[in-house]
Amino acid sequence: MNGTNVSSEILTRLSEEWDELTPEAQKAARYVLENPRDVGVSTVREIAEAANVKPNTVVRMARQVGFDGYEDFREPFRDAIRQGMVDFPDRARWLQDVSKRGELGALYAEAISGTLANIEETFAAIDVTDLKAAAERIWNSRQVFTLGVGVNNANARNFTYLASTGMTRFHAIPRSGSTAVDDLAWADDQDVLIAITCRPYRSEVIDAIEVAREQGVTIVAISDSPASPILRGADHGFIVQADAPQFFPSSVSTIALLETLLSFVIAVASEEIVERVETFHRRRHQLGIYREDPE
């Protein structure tokens, strides 16, 4: 097993052991979960200082997930660094060229590089069988509620709009004039909630998930860190990379994941879904909603 897989397993174990950790150990674990690349290149004192805890706390955290000490804990992360990511020399030359174009060239190159890296890292960490399992649960549900607030409200509505071309039981929440908790009032174990929030996590989403879980709703959580409160306890959890050079998180990986998830739903659906999508678009052509050629 390669270093990348082992380091990912360690992050998973940290998430699973979260409730068993002391509050101080949780601080150390949160830093590791949110900054796994730092582990392979940092000493125990450097990690402790960054997490604002004592070095002994970091060691105890490592032992909690089955290691003798910090050095054993760090080794898989060092292996992952040694193996490196996939190299794209042509892209590197292109980005270097872009960065030389005018005063905003460097920012443009940074934005492009960050966007591509976010998508690659997001999908590299997702197991296709997990995505298929979530898609099957969505298809077999009675209703699907997609929850996002702020920028993720638009992402949730885009997902629901695309799903509506062939399916009728998808709902973006919160609805206008309502709250997410109210929209989920009659949801139960026949339904699915797809919830999206990234740092800083929105309390409305966290609260809605707690209510939905109490009602037996299946939770599909999408967030940007293994330490996210909506991922712990979710039936299906997916981590997206949302790094960006600007002050707001990037939605590119979230949108890409939602589109892929919807593709999986269609793939596992019954054959009638293809005919429904074709009928939907044929109707739009007949009504003149689509215009193929400019007049």
Side-chain angles (χ1 to χ4, degrees):
M1 185 176 293
N2 63 41
T4 301
N5 289 339
V6 176
S7 59
S8 296
E9 286 184 2
I10 294 172
L11 298 179
T12 299
R13 268 186 273 163
L14 273 178
S15 297
E16 292 173 347
E17 294 284 340
W18 183 270
D19 292 335
E20 304 302 320
L21 298 173
T22 66
E24 285 297 291
Q26 286 180 353
K27 288 168 64 176
R30 181 181 299 278
Y31 183 84
V32 170
L33 288 167
E34 295 182 350
N35 304 276
R37 294 179 183 175
D38 290 356
V39 178
V41 296
S42 302
T43 66
V44 64
R45 292 188 179 279
E46 289 170 336
I47 291 294
E49 182 177 352
N52 196 27
V53 297
K54 295 179 180 178
N56 285 344
T57 300
V58 178
V59 173
R60 284 196 298 271
M61 175 204 68
R63 290 174 176 167
Q64 178 74 36
V65 290
F67 292 89
D68 292 335
Y70 177 74
E71 288 304 315
D72 290 337
F73 176 84
R74 181 172 72 160
E75 190 59 31
F77 294 91
R78 297 182 69 178
D79 286 343
I81 292 173
R82 293 188 194 106
Q83 292 167 14
M85 296 182 63
V86 178
D87 187 28
F88 295 90
D90 290 338
R91 180 199 299 167
R93 283 192 289 271
W94 169 55
L95 289 173
Q96 288 175 358
D97 182 60
V98 167
S99 69
K100 299 173 184 176
R101 301 176 190 171
E103 59 182 14
L104 292 179
L107 176 60
Y108 186 45
E110 183 180 3
I112 296 168
S113 179
T115 296
L116 295 174
N118 281 344
I119 292 175
E120 289 169 356
E121 292 179 26
T122 294
F123 285 102
I126 293 175
D127 189 323
V128 67
T129 57
D130 293 337
L131 203 59
K132 181 175 182 288
E136 289 174 338
R137 181 64 187 91
I138 289 169
W139 172 249
N140 291 313
S141 67
R142 178 182 58 187
Q143 296 183 96
V144 179
F145 300 90
T146 308
L147 167 60
V149 294
V151 67
N152 282 314
N153 183 254
N155 296 333
R157 292 187 181 282
N158 178 64
F159 174 81
T160 302
Y161 168 76
L162 293 174
S164 71
T165 62
M167 295 167 277
T168 59
R169 48 194 170 76
F170 284 68
H171 314 283
I173 61 173
R175 295 183 175 98
S176 178
S178 184
T179 67
V181 171
D182 288 340
D183 293 332
L184 293 167
W186 308 115
D188 57 30
D189 59 4
Q190 300 181 69
D191 304 317
V192 170
L193 171 63
I194 302 173
I196 316 163
T197 187
C198 295
R199 289 170 288 181
Y201 309 114
R202 293 293 294 261
S203 58
E204 308 101 298
V205 178
I206 298 171
D207 293 342
I209 285 180
E210 292 177 355
V211 169
R213 188 178 294 117
E214 290 175 359
Q215 296 172 193
V217 177
T218 296
I219 308 297
V220 178
I222 299 173
S223 193
D224 62 342
S225 166
S228 171
I230 74 167
L231 287 176
R232 295 195 298 275
D235 299 283
H236 305 278
F238 301 100
I239 300 170
V240 294
Q241 297 298 320
D243 296 336
Q246 63 272 355
F247 63 89
F248 49 85
S250 171
S251 289
V252 172
S253 294
T254 299
I255 295 170
L257 175 59
L258 287 170
E259 290 180 353
T260 304
L261 177 59
L262 184 57
S263 296
F264 271 54
V265 173
I266 294 172
V268 302
S270 53
E271 293 182 1
E272 77 218 33
I273 194 68
V274 176
E275 183 179 347
R276 289 177 65 94
V277 172
E278 290 177 347
T279 300
F280 181 90
H281 287 287
R282 184 166 56 249
R283 176 177 175 274
R284 285 190 158 194
H285 281 288
Q286 293 169 345
L287 294 174
I289 296 174
Y290 293 144
R291 186 170 297 176
E292 298 292 345
D293 300 311
E295 295 180 354

